[in-house]
Amino acid sequence: MANACEVWKDEKTEVGRYEFATLPRPGDTISVPKDSGEGYQHFRVESVTHRASAAAHPAATYLFVSEAE
């Protein structure tokens, strides 16, 4: 079962919505496709926030990330 997540750099900068086979945890590095479709961008998960799911917002998990080195 996939875990739907919204990935954010900060409160105003959304990276996108992605599904992960396992739920990332703080400290993990995630890779998501670049907007250009060529290659991947890598992020370090800083925090994970959960909220109650609603029909209008299927993703109930938010990952806040920073650029991975």
Side-chain angles (χ1 to χ4, degrees):
M1 179 177 191
N3 295 287
C5 300
E6 289 186 22
V7 179
W8 292 79
K9 282 187 177 180
D10 56 47
E11 295 174 357
K12 297 180 182 178
T13 310
E14 182 178 11
V15 176
R17 294 176 184 222
Y18 302 97
E19 291 188 355
F20 299 93
T22 58
L23 185 63
R25 298 182 303 192
D28 288 351
T29 299
I30 59 171
S31 300
V32 297
K34 289 184 177 180
D35 291 334
S36 65
E38 297 180 14
Y40 289 86
Q41 50 190 343
H42 308 284
F43 297 99
R44 182 178 187 276
V45 177
E46 299 295 335
S47 66
V48 179
T49 301
H50 304 279
R51 69 166 175 77
S53 182
H57 302 284
T61 303
Y62 296 88
L63 305 179
F64 291 92
V65 299
S66 60
E67 297 284 337
E69 296 181 20

